[in-house]
Amino acid sequence: MRTQGFVFVAALSLVTVVAGACGDNFGPTDATPPGPFDKLPKDYDVQNAGLGSAVQVARDRYGIAHIAAHTVADASFAQGYVMAHDRLAQMEVLRRFGAGTLSELFGALDPSVIDTDLSMRVHRMTFYAQQTWDMLQASTDPTDQQIVQLLQRFADGVNAYAADLKAGTYTIDPEVGTGFDIDTFAAWTPVDSLVLGRFQSFALSFSAPFETDLTELYQKLRATYAPGASDPQHAARSGIDVDLLTTAPLGKFSTIDGFPNDPTDTGTRSDSGRPGKRKAGDAAVASAAPKAGQVKRPEVPQQLFDNARRFLSKDIHDGPFHALGPHAFMRPYAGSNNWAVSPALANGKTLLATDQHLQLPNPSIFYPMQLIVDEGNLDVEGVTFPGIPGIILGSNGNVAWAATVSEHDINDVYLENISPCGSGSCVAFNGQQVPITTFTENIGVGMFGNIEKTITATYEVVPHHGPIIPTVDTTNHVLVPRTGNQALSMEFTGYDPTFEIRAVYNLAHAKIVDDGFKALKDFTYGGQNWTMIDNQGDIAWTTQEAVPVRDPNAYTWNAKSNPDGLAPFMVLPGDGTAEWQGLLDTRYVPHAINPQQGYLATANADPVGATFDNDDLNQDVVDGRPLYVGVTYAAGVREERITSRIQAAAQAGAITNDDMASIQHDTHSNIGDKMLPPIDAALGVLDDGGSGSGVPSDVAPYLASLGSDDVQRLETARTLLEGWTGETPAATGSASAQDITDSAATAVFNEWVHFFLVDALSDEFTAAGFDLFRLDDNQIIRIPYRMLTQPDTFVQDPATGQPILCDDVTTPGDDSCTKEILVAMLDAMHQLETSFKTGDTTQWRWGDLHHLTITPLFPDSALDLPNSNDPTPNGFPKAGDNFVVNRADCGWSDTDFSQEADGPAQRFLAVAEPGQTITFQWALPGGTIYDSRDPHYRDLLDNYYLPLQHFDVPYAVPDIVANGEDRWEFHP
């Protein structure tokens, strides 16, 4: 029996704590049938008048709760109660993050938290969630009625636990209690759960910060490096805007080759699966791109860019609660890997692997649970986000499903021209003046729910687009009224009531992958790469989402042939010339079922290869527009590595679940593989002092200027990189000779990338008034890769015959890329000697630089993992570098290579055999219970996640009982 951390109180009206024994009946009377978990010792009896029948909850040795109930309503009550017991403090922070009410908890402690609320309120998540709830309640559809019960009873369960916590039935971990006060906890509502669902979808799909940053950069590059620029150094760089805005990925493996049903319609749809009786060939597809329109890209005032950056940036919140800064959970930190393998490649089995790359807080962002419900024959196990009922990702025994961010472009930013009209303001739209509307939000500021003051914020809305990006005063933490005659507005598919909860509910009931496709019809924003298998031998993938189709004018940009044209991923004119005109037909939304290749892999990369030629809008034309779904894809190296390993395993024999786990744990440096050839070539000049044929003229003088110690440092770097296998071991403690070499080489390479970016690229960005590292590493790395591996495609320096980007724009002379590679390498070696306090490279262990610390959302070092009692209190040493499959990004913006606060939020493997119940394995970065006094606080982290192991998940009742620790019982 697990009693640690709880106080037993007798004779309470709601809960009676019982020291149970094996064989206790399922209900409070002898007339109640036996329960499935009777053989487990009983810890608690919970009574609630709203229950229709008894419910049992088994806690297994991994800390996972398994709920057995007769109805969805009763299961939902128990889910709310148990989840609140395990994660209430986390649920409180997350719901307030989405709703924009964090200032009520922390605003008095850290006023910059107010900026978070100001930022989130513009998206009106509570407003739209309330509309969804109202529509569900008004619906007569049986499924919607079940969902209403599910949401309401889940909320009832959360509130019942909160009442018992207030009454003293349980005690809260004192450390958790430093950031959570149960006495000011507001009752949980169904709208809170819907807000959380919207918040997660929003965080994985909102791209306005990318679009405003990209437009600002493009505008500044073209102005600074114009052909007729007065500065000859600037004029010589005319055209580098094309070089610096490259979108072609490093890895060019797509999930499928081209858009589905183009040019031949096979009848499949992203929202309904296989053709069935559907007729094919009912859409004409042209092969030529549309002619460039006459509409030109608007010139955005710098002040609007500055406003957007202050309001939308994830970095502006620098107070003590910086983890709660605006958009802290948003892309580009999100990622993920999925892949499925068909029976043809897996000896008759169907395999699925997934790991979602999300923030890694304590407690973990996912919460595992199983729901076994007689009503509807539901038996589903998987993860959800704390505060959201049901199961979002997992398996029901017949189907297993996973998701990665699809990167579909469902967000546009418009430049609005504004003039006075009547008593307010109007925007110009289609030759008319349209009045701007407003809404007002009241933001409470206090500490742990005790409100000290209220801030009123008024937001403007362009009716046909969406909210105007406000100006925020980050010193006084208020919105500043707009005074200018231009503004940026945001259109987003999330600015409507949506029904993701219905999709999740129906997905849990799917029998085959086709049912999964149909369920996802209601997943209309926050699109994912949903990858599925079933026990009939099917594999499937869909990116089902409502993808906007724009006016043909919006697709006319080409970096070379029409640089003044429009693109959906840059700011568009708000005058009506680039409007949304419907949704992309679901025949073209990327998807596939049982492809001939026998596998499906996704890793946030371009799903159809549309960007591989560095021209994002030259796709086949449908209804006068090129097929287009997005551009903000990952660099493609994770997908390339996964696909290559799947193919290699298939060629070696049948793919096994062990192969799937090995791929999931892969920490090979994919970026290192791509970048080493030009580095090795540059270091080759050491053989002859830079005097060889074809070597730029600045190399020999540079080498001659170096002391012998520095030349030796370059030789040492060369030896390490030549001996590097591409593996990235932490190599702390005892390690093999190869691991020591690989570990030091990993450090050298990543240090070099940082210095090369600073030495060779940052000067052009700085001269244009834009910080290079405002871009995501995923975008940045494309520049040096193409610059060094495809130099002829970049603007050349006539003096060096190499890309002019390598030359310092601020100083006279001509610097070659070969020299800059050497300069960055020497900088890297000096920095590593400083970091490791030795020049002995056998002591350069990557894990001493690259380590992970898991922190709580509310800052409290006592809840950091690792803590002061761990062998490595400064962080868990980690293998991997940027963009490895087992994601462990360290960033390149500085020389702190600790793992960023994101990574695999779960690792999940599923195996299906024909007609049998799907089995699956897990690893999670933490524990199920957010209580440092509980054995399930961090056991899954220590025993499975960090050692790169999976555990077999109990699913069938006999396995649950065999692995069980105790049970709870809920009675009417």
Side-chain angles (χ1 to χ4, degrees), residues 173-192:
D173 180 348
E175 293 297 341
V176 174
T178 62
F180 175 75
D181 184 358
I182 185 59
D183 290 330
T184 59
F185 178 79
W188 196 272
T189 71
V191 172
D192 290 327

Side-chain angles (χ1 to χ4, degrees), residues 617-636:
L617 301 176
N618 66 339
Q619 309 310 309
D620 282 352
V621 175
V622 175
D623 297 329
R625 304 168 184 83
L627 288 172
Y628 167 82
V629 291
V631 71
T632 56
Y633 301 116

Side-chain angles (χ1 to χ4, degrees), residues 336-337 339 354-357 360 637-638 641-642 645 661-670 728 850 852 878-890 899 902-907 923 925 944-950:
S336 306
N337 305 314
W339 63 97
T354 188
D355 50 292
Q356 285 68 39
H357 304 163
L360 295 179
V637 291
R638 281 186 289 118
R641 179 72 176 175
I642 291 166
R645 289 205 56 183
S662 175
I663 299 171
Q664 205 170 62
H665 296 148
D666 189 300
T667 53
H668 188 86
S669 179
N670 303 310
T728 60
H850 186 234
L852 170 66
K878 292 293 298 295
D881 60 4
N882 291 298
F883 313 134
V884 299
V885 174
N886 187 4
R887 186 172 171 189
D889 288 7
C890 50
Q899 182 174 336
D902 57 290
Q906 70 157 342
R907 300 189 186 105
Y944 301 100
Y945 188 86
L946 292 175
L948 302 182
Q949 301 292 324
H950 292 80

Side-chain angles (χ1 to χ4, degrees), residues 363-383:
S364 60
I365 198 66
F366 279 137
Y367 179 76
M369 183 170 269
Q370 182 176 10
L371 302 173
I372 307 169
V373 186
D374 294 340
E375 182 181 41
N377 194 28
L378 177 66
D379 188 352
V380 60
E381 186 166 5
V383 293

Side-chain angles (χ1 to χ4, degrees), residues 390-568:
I391 299 298
I392 295 176
L393 307 173
S395 174
N396 61 15
N398 298 308
V399 179
W401 60 95
T404 69
V405 176
S406 67
E407 303 290 344
H408 289 342
D409 184 355
I410 60 171
N411 192 179
D412 281 339
V413 179
Y414 297 93
L415 178 63
E416 308 286 357
N417 291 309
I418 302 173
S419 58
C421 64
S423 59
S425 299
C426 287
V427 295
F429 183 71
N430 286 332
Q432 304 294 319
Q433 292 294 304
V434 178
I436 292 174
T437 62
T438 62
F439 65 91
T440 299
E441 297 282 324
N442 294 315
I443 297 175
V445 180
M447 184 167 64
F448 302 128
N450 296 303
I451 309 301
E452 299 176 2
K453 65 177 181 179
T454 299
I455 294 175
T456 299
T458 299
Y459 298 85
E460 295 182 302
V461 179
V462 177
H464 45 276
H465 289 153
I468 286 175
I469 299 175
T471 300
V472 60
D473 178 347
T474 56
T475 299
N476 298 305
H477 313 293
V478 295
L479 295 188
V480 177
R482 177 192 53 76
T483 57
N485 60 3
Q486 289 185 305
L488 296 176
S489 68
M490 304 178 290
E491 189 164 17
F492 184 44
T493 58
Y495 293 153
D496 275 310
T498 56
F499 296 90
E500 296 77 32
I501 188 69
R502 186 190 293 148
V504 169
Y505 180 88
N506 287 327
L507 190 56
H509 290 81
K511 301 300 183 186
I512 59 175
V513 297
D514 294 74
D515 297 335
F517 272 54
K518 293 172 185 175
L520 291 169
K521 183 175 184 178
D522 286 305
F523 207 93
T524 54
Y525 97 108
Q528 303 286 301
N529 289 292
W530 295 94
T531 305
M532 295 174 265
I533 64 172
D534 62 30
N535 58 5
Q536 306 300 309
D538 294 318
I539 65 172
W541 157 75
T542 180
T543 63
Q544 165 57 27
E545 182 177 19
V547 180
V549 170
R550 288 88 170 170
D551 186 293
N553 282 311
Y555 306 96
T556 58
W557 178 79
N558 180 280
K560 294 182 177 180
S561 64
N562 190 27
D564 290 320
L566 304 182

